[in-house]
Amino acid sequence: MSVKKKLPLLFIVAAALLIVAGCEDCPGRQAACGYAYDPTYDPRATIDALLAGGGPAFGDAVAVEDTTEPRYVILMISDGWSYNHLAATAAYTGDEPGYTSWLNYPMSTWDYDARRLNGGVGYDPQRAWSEFGYVAGAFTDSASAATAMFTGRKVDSGNINTSPADVLRLETFSELAALRGLAVGAVTSVQLSHATPACWYAHNAYRKNGYAILDMGIWGVPGLSGEGAGYQGLRGPSRMTPAVLIGAGHPDWNSDYISARQRDLLAEDAAANPGWAFVERVEGGPDAGERLLTAATDPSTERLFGLFGNEEGCFDWATADLDGRNPENPTLEESTRAALAVLGRDPEGFALMVEGGAVDWAGHANNLDYMIGEQRDFDAAVEAVINWIEDPQTPADWENTLLIVTGDHECGYLTAGPGVFADEPLGEVSERTLAEEKTYSTGLRASWDDADGDGVIDEGENVHWAWNSTQHTNQLIPLYARGHRCEAFHGMIVAEDPIRGEYIDNTSIYLVMCTALND
């Protein structure tokens, strides 16, 4: 892999502060793309100020020092998870993933719109546990949630690293990591230009402009592959391009976010560039995971692109027993291992984001069978990362690596029954009760022993669990962390919840990842 020229990090931070702070004569600095970075961005603001007045959450931790040591920052996101999603998976498998014993905090996920709709309060702990419908009333979307985690800024729904009203570009952690000299990569089980991975490498006014977003990820220039629908919302070229992009959305099966033109251009460029490797789904072809790992472990591969997916735009669904996978698509675990193989060759280190995106989709569908299968695939990917960090043959260890495992929001309002608060334990989760999941009288799905077969949860019938929404909710979700500077989360507590205890905000992820660039 080519070695990128590394600038002293204090210089990088100083330049970043000048970009966002401006001056009396020039209140906003135009980026090279022609779009201004936010001139009101005060990097000394605290999360308390964010919660009180809506300012940015970006603490003194950004003033990091240069280091000759490699750094590895890995953020793994189970999109749509919650405490009960984890509990359901553990109940089915009979085992809890090891990361649940790490440093952990509940985390708030509200965005700019949710705070506005909730009367100026992003998350009210008292209302969350006294009014059942409160958390289902106003909530974040995946784009604004990812923007908060990757930039430390609260924005409105749909934004890909742009400020409220889409006026300004927001600097991302992955941009700072690239300036620091780290390689950058993104892996997802859904479309490569879907909201969460998009926020790792792009800027756009709206998450649905998938073609423009993917152009930024591959070539750094939005609109390179075309124009028209899917190419709007442009916010200038990228300041970095990922070394690894692996995910779904292959246009031969689903072209909602990635066009056939983009696939063809990518294949042409990969053939013309010896350091590029492009692996895609081939109908009836050999095992995708094996082909992907073969390309990744080739020492000549400097940029790896994996493009797979089914008709729904994701890797094939796995049921709770992990059945149903099509070998034409890789698993998230295989994709993660491939990313680690390529990125791990960079001498400066890397910043990697891995998303289990279809956990959220299963929540929207109120399908616990699929949700558990997707969560298990995500957990396997986490285990692959842990194994890589602890492998003595890799340059990583827990002294130079930060691993964060979390979600972006809850999806589906999964609880022990209709109208039951989320702190009550779920009932039996097994093959028998998964088979009992069906629509109940409100149009949502639940699992219960329907003694009279009328499709209604009658008094006295045993309920195992229920979905109370088909959308996201504003619940607190868990965050787990281990490794370099993970203890910085202890300084990010914003308030106390009567059930979950002291909690942090999702903007703190950005802060802590920045501290991990330090010695």
Side-chain angles (χ1 to χ4, degrees):
M1 177 173 290
S2 60
V3 178
K4 299 174 287 299
K5 184 177 181 180
K6 175 180 164 185
L7 297 174
L9 196 54
L10 286 177
F11 171 81
I12 293 168
V13 172
L17 298 189
L18 287 174
I19 287 172
V20 298
C23 64
E24 291 182 3
D25 297 327
C26 180
R29 178 187 181 277
Q30 290 296 112
C33 61
Y35 287 89
Y37 282 87
D38 188 348
T40 67
Y41 195 9
D42 177 9
R44 293 166 298 280
T46 63
I47 291 179
D48 285 343
L50 165 77
L51 296 176
F58 193 127
D60 294 336
V62 72
V64 291
E65 299 175 355
D66 193 15
T67 174
T68 57
E69 295 297 321
R71 285 288 172 262
Y72 306 96
V73 180
I74 305 168
L75 175 59
M76 306 191 72
I77 299 170
S78 177
D79 193 316
W81 88 348
S82 73
Y83 289 95
N84 280 339
H85 293 65
L86 277 171
T89 306
Y92 178 86
T93 62
D95 189 28
E96 292 190 0
Y99 60 78
T100 58
S101 65
W102 297 353
L103 179 151
N104 62 90
Y105 278 102
M107 182 176 77
S108 58
T109 64
W110 56 271
D111 67 2
Y112 187 90
D113 288 336
R115 184 180 62 186
R116 175 178 54 82
L117 294 170
N118 280 330
V121 178
Y123 173 76
D124 186 328
Q126 300 305 319
R127 293 185 65 190
W129 299 103
S130 61
E131 303 172 28
F132 184 77
Y134 167 72
V135 296
F139 43 79
T140 188
D141 90 319
S142 291
S144 52
T147 295
M149 291 187 285
F150 303 165
T151 73
R153 302 299 301 275
K154 295 289 190 178
V155 301
D156 43 333
S157 294
N159 295 26
I160 303 294
N161 299 323
T162 61
S163 64
D166 305 308
V167 176
L168 302 164
R169 285 169 60 122
L170 302 176
E171 193 161 46
T172 67
F173 169 76
S174 49
E175 288 179 304
L176 289 175
L179 286 171
R180 160 72 166 71
L182 276 66
V184 174
V187 174
T188 180
S189 62
V190 298
Q191 291 103 330
L192 273 173
S193 52
H194 210 264
T196 304
C199 286
W200 195 244
Y201 62 78
H203 293 80
N204 197 279
Y206 186 46
R207 58 178 289 179
K208 294 292 186 179
N209 294 319
Y211 301 162
I213 289 167
L214 188 65
D215 277 358
M216 296 186 76
I218 299 174
W219 299 286
V221 181
L224 180 143
S225 65
E227 59 184 7
Y231 286 99
Q232 288 81 28
L234 308 186
R235 289 297 181 269
S238 298
R239 299 168 72 195
M240 64 88 191
T241 50
V244 172
L245 282 176
I246 302 172
H250 196 299
D252 285 358
W253 284 267
N254 182 296
S255 60
D256 290 348
Y257 284 78
I258 300 170
S259 71
R261 169 68 172 159
Q262 288 177 307
R263 179 266 161 213
D264 293 345
L265 284 175
L266 176 56
E268 291 173 10
D269 282 358
N273 289 277
W276 289 28
F278 174 47
V279 184
E280 63 180 327
R281 179 179 177 181
V282 177
E283 188 168 7
D287 178 72
E290 181 180 337
R291 290 187 293 117
L292 188 63
L293 288 163
T294 297
T297 53
D298 184 335
S300 68
T301 298
E302 297 183 354
R303 294 192 74 189
L304 175 63
F305 302 93
L307 183 56
F308 307 95
N310 61 14
E311 292 77 5
E312 295 178 71
C314 61
F315 292 168
D316 288 293
W317 293 97
T319 50
D321 60 3
L322 300 182
D323 194 16
R325 287 291 188 192
N326 183 340
E328 294 175 11
N329 286 309
T331 64
L332 188 65
E333 183 264 346
E334 291 169 329
S335 301
T336 301
R337 287 168 53 205
L340 293 169
V342 175
L343 297 173
R345 292 196 288 269
D346 192 294
E348 306 289 349
F350 61 77
L352 171 64
M353 190 283 301
V354 177
E355 180 201 26
V359 172
D360 173 74
W361 294 14
H364 283 297
N366 284 188
N367 190 314
L368 197 70
D369 198 7
Y370 283 162
M371 191 287 294
I372 293 173
E374 294 301 313
Q375 183 61 41
R376 292 185 69 186
D377 190 25
F378 176 81
D379 288 344
V382 176
E383 190 64 25
V385 171
I386 294 170
N387 290 339
W388 183 84
I389 295 169
E390 296 181 345
D391 185 344
Q393 301 302 312
T394 70
D397 55 42
W398 292 112
E399 297 299 317
N400 63 12
T401 305
L402 172 67
L403 175 55
I404 301 171
V405 181
T406 189
D408 55 353
H409 52 71
E410 195 271 351
C411 185
Y413 208 169
L414 178 63
T415 73
V420 177
F421 282 95
D423 59 328
E424 293 293 326
L426 304 180
E428 177 188 343
V429 180
S430 64
E431 288 295 335
R432 182 187 76 82
T433 60
L434 287 172
E436 293 292 338
E437 190 176 64
K438 50 195 170 289
T439 301
Y440 62 95
S441 58
T442 63
L444 301 168
R445 284 167 59 86
S447 175
W448 79 99
D449 298 327
D450 190 9
D452 55 7
D454 63 353
V456 176
I457 300 176
D458 300 312
E459 185 176 356
E461 291 182 335
N462 187 29
V463 179
H464 310 295
W465 67 82
W467 301 90
N468 291 275
S469 174
T470 58
Q471 301 299 321
H472 303 169
T473 69
N474 196 28
Q475 295 180 63
L476 299 180
I477 63 172
L479 174 143
Y480 305 93
R482 183 180 177 187
H484 185 62
R485 295 297 177 90
C486 71
E487 71 279 358
F489 279 112
H490 292 316
M492 304 295 166
I493 296 167
V494 295
E496 185 166 357
D497 183 87
I499 300 297
R500 303 297 185 198
E502 293 179 327
Y503 66 91
I504 61 175
D505 185 68
N506 59 0
T507 50
S508 66
I509 290 176
Y510 173 68
L511 258 173
V512 175
M513 289 195 299
C514 286
T515 71
L517 297 180
N518 225 342
D519 275 331

